[in-house]
Amino acid sequence: MTYGLVNNRVGLLVKKVDLLDVRFEDFYEGSGVARCVFIDGKHGLINRIGKVLKSDYAFIGAFKNGLARMSIKGRLSGNTKEITHGIEPITEYLESLQAPYYMINYTLYDQAFENEAYLTCEDCVWGYIDTTAEIIVSPQYSFARPYVNEVGIVELKGHWGMLDVRGQELLPCKYDDLHFLENTDNTIIRVYQQQKKYGLIDTLGQVKVDFLYDEIGAFSESRLAVRRNGLWGFVDQNGR
């Protein structure tokens, strides 16, 4: 089942019937473009009069802080093992499409795949595009996460860094992992370096807790549990 777009005022087809999905919620949220998926599985962007502005993209994600992660090259696939670079559960992706889907086979493996697989993008090179269809960060990263609290976490050759909403580098891609720390409203980022010492960096790229600790626990009641030389203690969010 595929879809086209009609101009309601005159009843004329303005986009031929070759779409699996149009994310009209992008328009409702104020974007000048909406994501769409073509019958060949490729992603693109379409404007309010049905004109295709971008096509033949491997993937375009949801807009966050006015930016969406995207890759022009590569192809979407499903993987039951690759979670580090998983985009989203594959069932969530398929169920979000307006066109219905069904499985041809239903072996035990197929059932496990449907329940456990994550959508991945093979050979993708990641960047970011905005709600006017302008590429803000050219495709150059091994992986990109959606923007959260005006920062995008990206990976390049196995190392992680961070960008602001203008696409400017806040942290170079030299860290082994970056994740938002629990219970901080996505304002503090947990940083892991190769020497296996942990620290904390805020969303402006400023070091809050130096890289001194062998392990960092959860943040609770304005205190952060830390371990060094086999002993545990507490520091505040400024590292004191």
Side-chain angles (χ1 to χ4, degrees):
M1 184 180 295
T2 54
Y3 298 89
L5 296 176
V6 169
N7 183 316
N8 289 338
R9 294 178 185 173
V10 296
L12 293 177
L13 193 70
V14 295
K15 178 70 185 77
K16 67 179 183 179
V17 184
D18 64 349
L19 296 170
L20 296 178
D21 188 42
V22 181
R23 304 297 170 91
F24 290 109
E25 63 266 26
D26 294 338
F27 290 143
Y28 304 151
E29 293 171 3
S31 172
V33 297
R35 293 164 290 146
C36 58
V37 181
F38 298 93
I39 194 171
D40 61 359
K42 293 289 189 177
H43 287 214
L45 295 174
I46 195 167
N47 66 13
R48 291 175 180 267
I49 62 172
K51 181 179 179 180
V52 175
L53 302 180
K54 299 291 183 182
S55 60
D56 293 324
Y57 278 54
F59 181 80
I60 301 177
F63 288 104
K64 303 290 185 182
N65 296 129
L67 295 172
R69 56 179 173 169
M70 59 79 181
S71 178
I72 300 173
K73 64 174 296 187
R75 71 183 186 91
L76 294 181
S77 183
N79 198 322
T80 56
K81 299 178 181 179
E82 181 58 79
I83 303 300
T84 303
H85 291 158
I87 297 172
E88 62 181 316
I90 201 164
T91 52
E92 290 185 10
Y93 173 73
L94 294 174
E95 289 172 357
S96 70
L97 301 178
Q98 293 177 21
Y101 77 96
Y102 60 92
M103 298 183 69
I104 297 175
N105 298 312
Y106 219 72
T107 65
L108 290 176
Y109 172 80
D110 296 324
Q111 294 178 51
F113 183 86
E114 185 178 33
N115 293 327
E116 301 171 10
Y118 264 70
L119 184 71
T120 58
C121 193
E122 297 179 9
D123 301 319
C124 277
V125 182
W126 294 86
Y128 292 92
I129 196 167
D130 70 9
T131 54
T132 67
E134 180 180 354
I135 295 177
I136 301 302
V137 178
S138 61
Q140 58 190 285
Y141 295 102
S142 310
F143 191 66
R145 296 177 186 157
Y147 265 75
V148 174
N149 201 15
E150 299 188 346
V151 296
I153 294 175
V154 294
E155 184 205 24
L156 182 63
K157 297 179 180 178
H159 293 90
W160 295 86
M162 189 167 68
L163 309 175
D164 65 16
V165 290
R166 299 170 297 168
Q168 301 297 312
E169 187 178 82
L170 288 172
L171 290 176
C173 290
K174 67 176 186 179
Y175 300 98
D176 287 326
D177 203 1
L178 295 177
H179 280 286
F180 285 100
L181 187 67
E182 302 87 347
N183 305 320
T184 64
D185 293 325
N186 295 326
T187 59
I188 302 295
I189 293 162
R190 180 188 182 109
V191 184
Y192 175 66
Q193 288 184 308
Q194 275 188 336
Q195 63 265 39
K196 296 185 179 179
K197 297 294 181 181
Y198 287 90
L200 296 180
I201 289 176
D202 66 16
T203 52
L204 297 177
Q206 303 299 312
V207 175
K208 306 296 287 186
V209 175
D210 285 331
F211 301 98
L212 302 173
Y213 300 102
D214 302 316
E215 192 171 351
I216 286 179
F219 193 81
S220 179
E221 298 180 0
S222 300
R223 294 182 179 182
L224 178 71
V226 293
R227 182 172 67 87
R228 184 168 62 182
N229 300 327
L231 299 175
W232 284 90
F234 289 101
V235 297
D236 65 16
Q237 64 181 6
N238 294 314
R240 291 189 295 266

